Amino acid sequence: MKNFKYLLIMIVALALSASSCSNDDDNNHDYHLEYVGVINADLPDEFIYGQTYRINVTIELPNSCYYHYGQFDYFYEGTSRLVYPIAHVDDGVACAEIITETTFSIPVQVLQSEPYIFKFYQGEDENGQDIYLTIEVPVI
């Protein structure tokens, strides 16, 4: 029983010392995710049914606080595909006003015989409505 007490005391002491270690919080910062506009999309003239393609999409990042990690939302709307690139935006830090372009790719497996209509998000108009770069690709 005496050994059990010592073992219990050692476990509690180790747990307390482990929890008191300081974590380096310098890398933690505020950020939010935001849709960014597509400036170009490279699609083939036609798709072959059953094939898989990689579509290259070029986006514009408005300043040095925007980072793109290949993330995007991809929504189905009938035969249309809506593509919204997502940027990580640092909050509360100084940003250099440098516009950069970056390209990422989207895999598309052609599983419909109707033409694909891609709508790539480009931003919002003055009424807050989404605007798109629209490209139609027939399927053979």
Side-chain angles (χ1 to χ4, degrees):
M1 186 68 169
K2 192 173 184 179
N3 286 338
F4 179 73
K5 276 185 181 180
Y6 289 120
L7 180 60
L8 185 60
I9 290 171
M10 295 221 1
I11 290 173
V12 170
L14 283 172
L16 288 175
S17 68
S19 67
S20 68
C21 292
S22 81
N23 291 330
D24 183 8
D25 289 335
D26 291 343
N27 291 329
N28 292 338
H29 60 277
D30 293 331
Y31 69 92
H32 68 278
L33 301 178
E34 185 176 310
Y35 291 139
V36 291
V38 171
I39 56 175
N40 187 34
D42 184 24
L43 289 113
D45 293 332
E46 59 191 18
F47 286 144
I48 298 173
Y49 183 84
Q51 296 290 322
T52 301
Y53 297 84
R54 296 207 66 82
I55 296 171
N56 290 324
V57 179
T58 303
I59 59 173
E60 186 173 86
L61 303 173
N63 63 46
S64 66
C65 287
Y66 283 72
Y67 302 93
H68 186 259
Y69 298 110
Q71 295 177 309
F72 57 91
D73 281 339
Y74 187 87
F75 301 107
Y76 294 86
E77 190 176 88
T79 60
S80 295
R81 304 296 184 264
L82 285 68
V83 179
Y84 289 80
I86 301 171
H88 167 118
V89 185
D90 287 336
D91 295 326
V93 297
C95 306
E97 296 302 316
I98 300 170
I99 297 173
T100 57
E101 294 180 5
T102 187
T103 301
F104 66 99
S105 65
I106 298 172
V108 175
Q109 186 176 12
V110 180
L111 298 176
Q112 70 185 36
S113 56
E114 299 86 9
Y116 279 74
I117 301 169
F118 289 93
K119 295 181 178 182
F120 298 96
Y121 177 78
Q122 290 191 301
E124 295 180 349
D125 65 14
E126 60 278 351
N127 298 319
Q129 298 295 313
D130 291 347
I131 54 176
Y132 302 97
L133 168 64
T134 303
I135 301 172
E136 184 173 330
V137 181
V139 176
I140 57 169

XYZ file of all heavy atoms in Angstrom, residues 43-76:
301
model
N -9.058 24.878 -69.523
C -9.853 23.671 -69.755
C -9.642 23.180 -71.177
O -9.382 23.971 -72.084
C -11.343 23.984 -69.559
C -11.733 24.220 -68.113
C -12.139 25.647 -67.894
C -12.852 23.296 -67.752
N -9.808 21.875 -71.396
C -9.689 21.360 -72.769
C -10.900 21.813 -73.602
O -11.935 22.235 -73.056
C -9.688 19.846 -72.576
C -10.367 19.612 -71.283
C -10.072 20.807 -70.429
N -10.782 21.702 -74.913
C -11.887 22.070 -75.803
C -13.065 21.119 -75.656
O -14.208 21.492 -75.943
C -11.424 22.086 -77.264
C -10.426 23.204 -77.520
O -10.486 24.233 -76.804
O -9.577 23.036 -78.417
N -12.763 19.874 -75.253
C -13.822 18.878 -75.050
C -13.344 17.834 -74.050
O -12.152 17.661 -73.827
C -14.198 18.208 -76.375
C -13.032 17.504 -77.043
C -13.325 17.063 -78.463
O -14.288 17.565 -79.073
O -12.581 16.211 -78.972
N -14.320 17.174 -73.411
C -14.047 16.074 -72.504
C -14.406 14.775 -73.191
O -15.339 14.732 -74.003
C -14.890 16.173 -71.226
C -14.458 17.220 -70.244
C -15.412 17.911 -69.507
C -13.123 17.506 -70.004
C -15.047 18.850 -68.569
C -12.745 18.448 -69.060
C -13.718 19.121 -68.344
N -13.702 13.708 -72.842
C -14.060 12.365 -73.274
C -14.703 11.671 -72.085
O -14.117 11.621 -70.987
C -12.832 11.579 -73.774
C -12.221 12.282 -74.987
C -13.211 10.137 -74.097
C -10.903 11.685 -75.446
N -15.900 11.153 -72.298
C -16.652 10.516 -71.230
C -15.810 9.416 -70.570
O -15.169 8.618 -71.245
C -17.955 9.915 -71.780
C -18.815 9.292 -70.706
C -19.687 10.063 -69.961
C -18.721 7.941 -70.417
C -20.463 9.508 -68.962
C -19.488 7.365 -69.416
C -20.356 8.160 -68.687
O -21.109 7.609 -67.693
N -15.801 9.413 -69.231
C -15.067 8.406 -68.468
C -13.636 8.779 -68.142
O -13.005 8.142 -67.291
N -13.092 9.815 -68.782
C -11.717 10.242 -68.530
C -11.662 11.164 -67.308
O -12.661 11.759 -66.920
C -11.156 10.985 -69.739
C -11.042 10.148 -70.986
C -9.946 9.095 -70.869
O -8.890 9.333 -70.311
N -10.218 7.917 -71.398
N -10.479 11.284 -66.727
C -10.239 12.220 -65.635
C -9.266 13.281 -66.120
O -8.268 12.970 -66.780
C -9.664 11.493 -64.405
O -10.602 10.495 -63.988
C -9.424 12.461 -63.259
N -9.568 14.535 -65.797
C -8.766 15.673 -66.228
C -8.341 16.486 -65.007
O -8.987 16.435 -63.963
C -9.576 16.577 -67.166
C -9.975 15.900 -68.444
C -11.110 15.102 -68.510
C -9.202 16.045 -69.588
C -11.478 14.474 -69.686
C -9.565 15.411 -70.771
C -10.700 14.621 -70.815
O -11.049 13.995 -71.978
N -7.274 17.234 -65.185
C -6.852 18.206 -64.171
C -7.002 19.588 -64.795
O -6.384 19.876 -65.815
C -5.418 17.958 -63.732
C -5.284 16.588 -63.041
C -4.171 16.490 -62.059
N -4.265 17.303 -60.883
C -4.977 16.995 -59.784
N -5.713 15.918 -59.767
N -4.958 17.783 -58.727
N -7.826 20.389 -64.166
C -8.084 21.741 -64.646
C -7.203 22.700 -63.849
O -7.245 22.704 -62.619
C -9.568 22.104 -64.450
C -10.439 21.192 -65.304
C -9.811 23.570 -64.763
C -11.914 21.343 -65.012
N -6.416 23.499 -64.535
C -5.585 24.496 -63.871
C -6.368 25.799 -63.738
O -6.924 26.309 -64.717
C -4.293 24.735 -64.641
C -3.374 23.545 -64.543
O -3.296 22.886 -63.513
N -2.673 23.240 -65.622
N -6.397 26.306 -62.520
C -7.152 27.514 -62.204
C -6.181 28.535 -61.614
O -5.443 28.234 -60.682
C -8.278 27.206 -61.186
C -9.055 28.463 -60.838
C -9.199 26.120 -61.718
N -6.184 29.749 -62.169
C -5.326 30.822 -61.676
C -6.185 31.834 -60.925
O -7.218 32.270 -61.422
C -4.585 31.516 -62.833
O -3.831 30.521 -63.541
C -3.650 32.596 -62.332
N -5.728 32.165 -59.712
C -6.439 33.119 -58.870
C -5.541 34.306 -58.550
O -4.321 34.239 -58.735
C -6.927 32.477 -57.559
C -5.742 31.917 -56.755
C -7.961 31.413 -57.826
C -6.105 31.409 -55.377
N -6.163 35.356 -58.064
C -5.428 36.553 -57.673
C -5.553 36.752 -56.173
O -6.660 36.753 -55.629
C -5.988 37.760 -58.414
C -5.211 39.026 -58.197
C -5.717 40.128 -59.086
O -6.687 40.810 -58.686
O -5.154 40.301 -60.192
N -4.407 36.915 -55.513
C -4.368 37.195 -54.083
C -4.048 38.682 -53.927
O -3.011 39.141 -54.408
C -3.311 36.331 -53.400
C -3.487 34.819 -53.597
C -2.308 34.056 -53.027
C -4.794 34.343 -52.992
N -4.941 39.450 -53.274
C -4.830 40.912 -53.294
C -3.696 41.529 -52.480
O -3.305 42.658 -52.743
C -6.178 41.383 -52.757
C -6.736 40.239 -52.009
C -6.161 38.996 -52.626
N -3.161 40.815 -51.482
C -2.025 41.354 -50.728
C -1.285 40.215 -50.035
O -1.667 39.051 -50.159
C -2.462 42.458 -49.745
C -3.410 41.962 -48.678
O -3.198 40.921 -48.061
N -4.485 42.720 -48.445
N -0.240 40.567 -49.290
C 0.632 39.545 -48.700
C 0.003 38.800 -47.524
O 0.595 37.850 -47.024
C 1.951 40.179 -48.247
O 1.701 41.089 -47.173
N -1.181 39.194 -47.088
C -1.867 38.487 -46.003
C -2.715 37.321 -46.519
O -3.292 36.590 -45.724
C -2.744 39.451 -45.207
S -1.776 40.563 -44.172
N -2.806 37.165 -47.829
C -3.601 36.096 -48.438
C -2.696 34.944 -48.844
O -1.665 35.154 -49.484
C -4.331 36.608 -49.677
C -5.543 37.448 -49.372
C -5.424 38.728 -48.867
C -6.819 36.952 -49.612
C -6.535 39.496 -48.589
C -7.941 37.712 -49.343
C -7.789 38.984 -48.830
O -8.903 39.734 -48.553
N -3.113 33.728 -48.471
C -2.374 32.515 -48.833
C -3.364 31.499 -49.378
O -4.471 31.365 -48.864
C -1.675 31.907 -47.602
C -0.723 32.864 -46.942
C -1.140 33.668 -45.892
C 0.595 32.959 -47.380
C -0.268 34.556 -45.291
C 1.471 33.847 -46.777
C 1.027 34.641 -45.736
O 1.897 35.520 -45.141
N -2.959 30.776 -50.392
C -3.820 29.737 -50.944
C -3.133 28.394 -50.770
O -1.960 28.228 -51.105
C -4.095 29.982 -52.429
C -5.081 29.024 -52.989
N -4.716 27.943 -53.741
C -6.426 28.964 -52.875
C -5.791 27.264 -54.081
N -6.843 27.861 -53.566
N -3.866 27.439 -50.200
C -3.321 26.116 -49.928
C -4.012 25.042 -50.761
O -4.122 23.905 -50.331
C -3.450 25.791 -48.437
C -2.675 26.738 -47.553
C -3.330 27.645 -46.733
C -1.286 26.740 -47.551
C -2.621 28.518 -45.924
C -0.568 27.602 -46.752
C -1.239 28.488 -45.936
O -0.533 29.349 -45.149
N -4.520 25.428 -51.938
C -5.171 24.448 -52.806
C -6.606 24.144 -52.412
O -7.190 23.206 -52.931
N -7.170 24.926 -51.512
C -8.535 24.674 -51.067
C -9.542 25.378 -51.973
O -9.286 26.482 -52.459
C -8.745 25.175 -49.638
C -7.922 24.446 -48.610
C -8.119 25.042 -47.230
O -8.001 26.238 -47.045
N -8.433 24.188 -46.282
N -10.683 24.720 -52.161
C -11.761 25.321 -52.940
C -13.059 24.612 -52.603
O -13.069 23.470 -52.163
C -11.484 25.222 -54.447
C -11.262 23.814 -54.935
C -12.317 23.042 -55.400
C -9.996 23.249 -54.925
C -12.110 21.741 -55.841
C -9.777 21.953 -55.361
C -10.842 21.194 -55.823
N -14.155 25.333 -52.782
C -15.477 24.722 -52.693
C -15.907 24.390 -54.110
O -15.672 25.171 -55.046
C -16.486 25.668 -52.042
C -16.364 25.706 -50.527
O -15.811 24.747 -49.953
O -16.833 26.686 -49.913
N -16.552 23.240 -54.270
C -16.958 22.740 -55.589
C -18.415 22.293 -55.455
O -18.690 21.313 -54.781
C -16.047 21.570 -55.969
C -16.201 21.028 -57.371
C -15.488 21.574 -58.426
C -17.025 19.935 -57.633
C -15.575 21.047 -59.701
C -17.115 19.406 -58.909
C -16.401 19.969 -59.939
O -16.490 19.442 -61.203
N -19.320 23.062 -56.043
C -20.747 22.795 -55.903
C -21.333 22.298 -57.223
O -20.939 22.758 -58.297
C -21.502 24.062 -55.484
C -21.031 24.641 -54.181
C -20.275 25.804 -54.167
C -21.344 24.045 -52.976
C -19.841 26.353 -52.974
C -20.922 24.586 -51.780
C -20.169 25.745 -51.777
N -22.275 21.371 -57.113
C -23.020 20.871 -58.269
C -24.321 21.659 -58.371
O -25.020 21.847 -57.381
C -23.354 19.391 -58.093
C -22.153 18.485 -58.082
C -21.456 18.234 -56.908
C -21.721 17.877 -59.251
C -20.351 17.395 -56.894
C -20.616 17.039 -59.245
C -19.945 16.806 -58.060
O -18.852 15.988 -58.053
